[in-house]
Amino acid sequence: MCQCNSCKKEKVFITTAIAYSSRKPHFGNTYEIIMSDAYARFQRQMGKDVYFLTGTDEHGQKIENLAKEASIAPKEYVDGVAGEIKRIWDLMGASYDKFIRTTDEEHVKSVQHIFQKLYDKGDIYKGHYEGWYCTPCESFFTDIQANDGKCPDCGRAVERTREEAYFFAMSKYADRLIEYIDSHPEFIEPESRKKEMVNNFLKAGLQDLCVSRSSFKWGIPVPFDEKHVIYVWIDALSNYITALGYDPDLAEQPELYQKCWPADVHIIGKDILRFHTIYWPIILMALGEPLPKKVFGHPWFNSGVDKMSKSRGNVIYADELAEYFSVDGVRYYALSEMPYNADGSITYENVVNCYNTDLANILGNLVNRTHAMTVKYFGGKIPAPTAPAPLDEELKAAVAKAVSESCILMDSFHVADALHVIFEALRRANKYIDETTPWILAKDESQKERLGTVLYNLLETIRTAAVLLTPFIPTTAERIFAQLGTKMTAYETVSVFGSLESGITLGEGAVLFARIDEKKFFEEIEAKQKEKEKSVAEVIPEPEHEKEIGIENFGAVELRTAQILACEKVPKAKKLLKLQVDLGYEKRQIVSGIAKFYEPDDLIGKKVIVVANLSPATLCGVESHGMLLASGEENVRVVFLDPETPNGERVH
């Protein structure tokens, strides 16, 4: 039996980051739940008491904006997206114990109590934030960090923001965190990520953290100041303990929390490592709670060489892949193609090649050939290994290596390497068939016992591989056990080669992975893409057009850039907002019928385009001198400009 570190533990608490409920998760997002699930299943194989937590992060300005665009309430919006995330997690076979949502009543209450406790301790104070804000990342940045007007994390444009906010005194705990990281070298993995966090953030000087927002409403209200909502880092990060029933107001924490906390590992993407290795540990220190034992920052899956994103049009979805390659096919690709400390890559070509080479050929063909030969030569009964030969020892050594090394590799999160060593044993088994030539042995009655030994060794290799592959491709492992007709499926049975029961009858044979016809596959993909483009064209009919105009008529419309300085609703006019705008050379008042689509606070500071030479008009008793450029009728969207755009520039 393996003696690696994981085999000496009793409980294992595993978490993923909670998925942001803004859009359907793509393949890169889905990798994390697949990898975490494989690790959780592996730990259960080791006999550990596993508690596996995942869920969704459902608050923030981005979601509020998306809900507004969809003309529905934010809760209705996140209910739909969270349901889609959970559907995909379930489809991928995620064996989680709890799926938490940050809109859950228990979470909301506990987060408010956490915020209150930190405020009462003096760790949270009120101030004003002024700096650069990235809405997609929900992160603030200094002038140095966003020196080119772009988010240093995602590369999108940032906005200049000033608002009242509460701050967490992070700097108060910086030295203590550095000391903790130094004395716990296993806390951040991989090692390269630890150096990045310490050198780039902690030793460079830790700034206090903005922990509330007052410019939008979709969030957990600050309990003592309801014009503020609790910002994402206290809200989302606290899920790891609120899911266990933690609440700072309890005299004694519940049994589940006492049993599971601290977490054995937070499995997260490398892009949010800073929040989990700096912000989260400091929040826990302030609460007086233990820190997680490990934070593992996994790499990304890129689409080809580029980061996967909808804006690039290179998104691949796990559920769509599963229609072609099966769930286990998707799981196998995800787990086998992501290196320990470098980004993985996915293209349809690579998935087809991996599926055909590893699953259909190396694994599937081995199982099919061995099963068929056992049926043909021994009537489907597993023969006894009564005629060993020196060649057998090489196969047994490869299997023993797979057992011992895959355990150590999984324990240290080298998931792809663990799969590689298992498939090395399967490759050796295929070579063993070529070396022993069972079809030739079958022609010589005196070689019957040797033939039986060869087939037994192959069947036992397949059984051992199925046990080892259970965390990675569980459905396939179960199908292999069924074909072998064996109940020897526990991890303990692979400690010694030879646990497969001789004399039992094999189950019915079946193809595990049918080979993909690459030409036909890409023809189907192309046809589906054309159908999708056609359906989009049908949904969006060509609009009615105005008469064509010459350049001289267009030039008569004076469009200029401006910044919104102030905004308020027009009394007794549900559709109108009154805006004060700065054109650079003068300030003006404009009335716009966009109150249904924007709150006044959402518009202050935004750069817009104004029709500057429109004749003044009076709307509901309020003078308007100009018009904002916007699109749509049912769902009006104002055209916003880059925050760096100067005021008063002519738009051509």
Side-chain angles (χ1 to χ4, degrees):
M1 188 67 181
C2 176
Q3 294 299 313
C4 65
N5 288 336
S6 75
C7 298
K8 299 173 185 175
K9 295 178 182 176
E10 294 182 0
K11 68 87 185 174
V12 181
F13 179 34
I14 303 163
T15 80
T16 69
I18 49 176
Y20 195 51
S21 298
S22 56
R23 302 286 191 191
K24 175 182 177 178
H26 56 60
F27 180 80
N29 305 137
T30 310
Y31 166 75
E32 186 172 299
I33 191 70
I34 296 173
M35 183 259 192
S36 301
D37 177 70
Y39 185 73
R41 288 174 183 268
F42 163 73
Q43 293 291 0
R44 292 190 191 105
Q45 272 195 323
M46 299 298 105
K48 303 303 171 290
D49 185 6
V50 171
Y51 195 84
F52 178 20
L53 173 67
T54 189
T56 44
D57 172 11
E58 302 185 11
H59 293 123
Q61 185 174 5
K62 184 177 181 179
I63 288 173
E64 185 175 85
N65 291 346
L66 288 168
K68 189 177 294 183
E69 288 175 12
S71 300
I72 59 176
K75 183 60 166 63
E76 183 182 352
Y77 184 89
V78 295
D79 283 348
V81 179
E84 180 71 352
I85 292 169
K86 190 173 185 296
R87 180 189 70 82
I88 294 173
W89 277 203
D90 291 342
L91 175 66
M92 289 296 111
S95 58
Y96 52 82
D97 294 282
K98 184 176 177 67
F99 189 100
I100 187 173
R101 298 178 57 184
T102 57
T103 52
D104 290 344
E105 185 179 344
E106 297 81 2
H107 174 80
V108 169
K109 182 180 70 172
S110 296
V111 166
Q112 288 185 312
H113 293 168
I114 288 169
F115 197 96
Q116 183 75 57
K117 178 174 180 176
L118 297 175
Y119 179 77
D120 292 343
K121 281 189 63 188
D123 287 328
I124 289 179
Y125 61 91
K126 195 174 188 177
H128 281 83
Y129 176 82
E130 184 167 3
W132 299 101
Y133 180 68
C134 175
T135 299
C137 293
E138 298 207 63
S139 296
F140 292 102
F141 298 100
T142 63
D143 290 339
I144 295 173
Q145 291 170 321
N147 62 355
D148 59 351
K150 304 292 184 183
C151 171
D153 287 342
C154 73
R156 296 180 178 91
V158 291
E159 299 177 71
R160 192 73 182 176
T161 301
R162 187 180 192 279
E163 64 180 86
E164 182 182 88
Y166 286 90
F167 291 83
F168 185 96
M170 304 289 288
S171 53
K172 177 178 171 182
Y173 294 91
D175 291 342
R176 183 174 161 188
L177 180 56
I178 292 172
E179 181 182 343
Y180 182 87
I181 293 172
D182 287 342
S183 61
H184 294 77
E186 75 289 347
F187 178 56
I188 304 173
E189 289 187 13
E191 177 72 17
S192 60
R193 309 243 196 271
K194 177 170 71 175
K195 293 177 180 177
E196 178 187 351
M197 293 301 106
V198 172
N199 295 332
N200 293 359
F201 295 101
L202 283 169
K203 290 186 177 178
L206 195 58
Q207 293 186 326
D208 288 351
L209 179 67
C210 178
V211 291
S212 81
R213 298 294 306 278
S214 55
S215 59
F216 63 88
K217 302 299 182 186
W218 181 238
I220 299 174
V222 170
F224 50 84
D225 191 345
E226 292 206 352
K227 72 177 182 179
H228 288 257
V229 294
I230 297 171
Y231 193 36
V232 61
W233 304 121
I234 286 183
D235 175 7
L237 290 167
S238 295
N239 92 89
Y240 303 125
I241 53 178
T242 64
L244 303 175
Y246 173 85
D247 190 313
D249 287 3
L250 295 174
E252 183 178 357
Q253 297 304 326
E255 182 180 346
L256 184 60
Y257 179 80
Q258 294 184 46
K259 171 187 170 183
C260 290
W261 194 258
D264 290 86
V265 61
H266 292 320
I267 297 174
I268 59 159
K270 64 179 183 179
D271 53 326
I272 54 173
L273 198 67
R274 170 164 48 109
F275 313 119
H276 284 77
T277 59
I278 298 177
Y279 300 169
W280 178 226
I282 286 179
I283 291 169
L284 288 167
M285 286 177 176
L287 290 171
E289 299 300 324
L291 273 56
K293 296 177 183 178
K294 188 185 301 297
V295 180
F296 179 75
H298 63 75
W300 288 331
F301 254 114
N302 295 325
S303 181
V305 296
D306 295 324
K307 182 181 177 184
M308 201 176 296
S309 72
K310 285 195 173 184
S311 61
R312 288 189 172 99
N314 61 357
V315 171
I316 296 175
Y317 294 104
D319 57 339
E320 294 177 3
L321 280 178
E323 294 177 13
Y324 295 102
F325 303 102
S326 77
V327 169
D328 274 3
V330 175
R331 284 176 65 102
Y332 180 81
Y333 187 88
L335 297 169
S336 65
E337 295 296 317
M338 178 71 88
Y340 172 73
N341 196 19
D343 288 346
S345 174
I346 181 170
T347 63
Y348 283 117
E349 291 82 358
N350 288 347
V351 179
V352 172
N353 182 64
C354 176
Y355 179 94
N356 282 341
T357 301
D358 290 4
L359 297 178
N361 189 20
I362 295 172
L363 174 59
N365 194 37
L366 173 65
V367 173
N368 186 55
R369 292 167 74 192
T370 305
H371 188 281
M373 286 189 291
T374 306
V375 170
K376 182 176 181 179
Y377 302 135
F378 290 91
K381 288 190 181 295
I382 298 176
T386 55
L391 186 60
D392 302 346
E393 298 308 312
E394 293 183 28
L395 176 62
K396 292 178 182 179
V399 173
K401 180 182 178 183
V403 172
S404 61
E405 291 191 8
S406 65
C407 180
I408 293 168
L409 289 165
M410 277 299 287
D411 193 52
S412 61
F413 304 99
H414 289 75
V415 180
D417 297 321
L419 266 175
H420 177 77
V421 75
I422 296 168
F423 268 73
E424 278 298 299
L426 294 171
R427 288 184 181 91
R428 187 65 188 83
N430 280 302
K431 183 181 179 184
Y432 180 76
I433 292 177
D434 296 335
E435 292 169 336
T436 57
T437 58
W439 53 91
I440 295 176
L441 292 174
K443 295 177 181 179
D444 186 347
E445 187 62 30
S446 68
Q447 295 292 325
K448 188 78 171 179
E449 287 192 11
R450 179 59 188 154
L451 174 61
T453 301
V454 167
L455 291 177
Y456 178 88
N457 290 339
L458 289 168
L459 292 166
E460 173 66 345
T461 298
I462 291 167
R463 184 196 68 84
T464 302
V467 173
L468 299 181
L469 288 171
T470 296
F472 306 94
I473 46 176
T475 301
T476 301
E478 286 298 324
R479 292 178 66 197
I480 293 173
F481 294 140
Q483 290 194 41
L484 296 177
T486 183
K487 295 181 180 178
M488 303 298 285
T489 62
Y491 191 85
E492 291 79 4
T493 65
V494 302
S495 59
V496 178
F497 192 94
S499 294
L500 187 63
E501 316 97 306
S502 299
I504 66 171
T505 302
L506 295 178
E508 187 176 344
V511 175
L512 293 176
F513 297 98
R515 189 172 181 82
I516 300 286
D517 183 321
E518 191 167 345
K519 183 175 181 293
K520 183 179 178 182
F521 170 79
F522 284 106
E523 286 174 351
E524 283 187 36
I525 290 290
E526 186 177 353
K528 276 197 171 184
Q529 184 60 35
K530 287 181 178 178
E531 188 64 30
K532 189 181 293 185
E533 291 170 358
K534 180 183 176 183
S535 65
V536 170
E538 290 173 353
V539 170
I540 308 175
E542 184 174 355
E544 292 185 11
H545 298 288
E546 303 292 343
K547 292 180 180 179
E548 287 188 354
I549 62 172
I551 188 66
E552 67 282 356
N553 291 332
F554 174 76
V557 180
E558 185 181 344
L559 302 176
R560 291 195 179 273
T561 60
Q563 183 172 26
I564 299 173
L565 302 177
C567 181
E568 61 183 281
K569 294 182 178 180
V570 175
K572 299 181 181 179
K574 293 182 179 180
K575 296 182 179 180
L576 301 181
L577 291 180
K578 181 172 68 175
L579 306 100
Q580 308 300 324
V581 302
D582 183 1
L583 283 157
Y585 55 88
E586 70 177 37
K587 294 181 175 60
R588 287 193 190 179
Q589 178 172 287
I590 294 176
V591 177
S592 181
I594 56 175
K596 178 182 175 182
F597 309 100
Y598 294 93
E599 291 295 325
D601 287 348
D602 294 336
L603 297 171
I604 296 172
K606 291 288 196 321
K607 295 294 181 79
V608 294
I609 298 175
V610 170
V611 181
N613 63 335
L614 191 67
S615 300
T618 300
L619 304 174
C620 291
V622 181
E623 184 180 82
S624 178
H625 193 184
M627 180 184 293
L628 298 188
L629 214 60
S631 67
E633 296 178 6
E634 297 294 326
N635 189 16
V636 175
R637 308 312 298 165
V638 173
V639 176
F640 295 123
L641 300 174
D642 187 300
E644 293 300 296
T645 305
N647 295 339
E649 284 194 337
R650 186 77 184 258
V651 178
H652 301 282

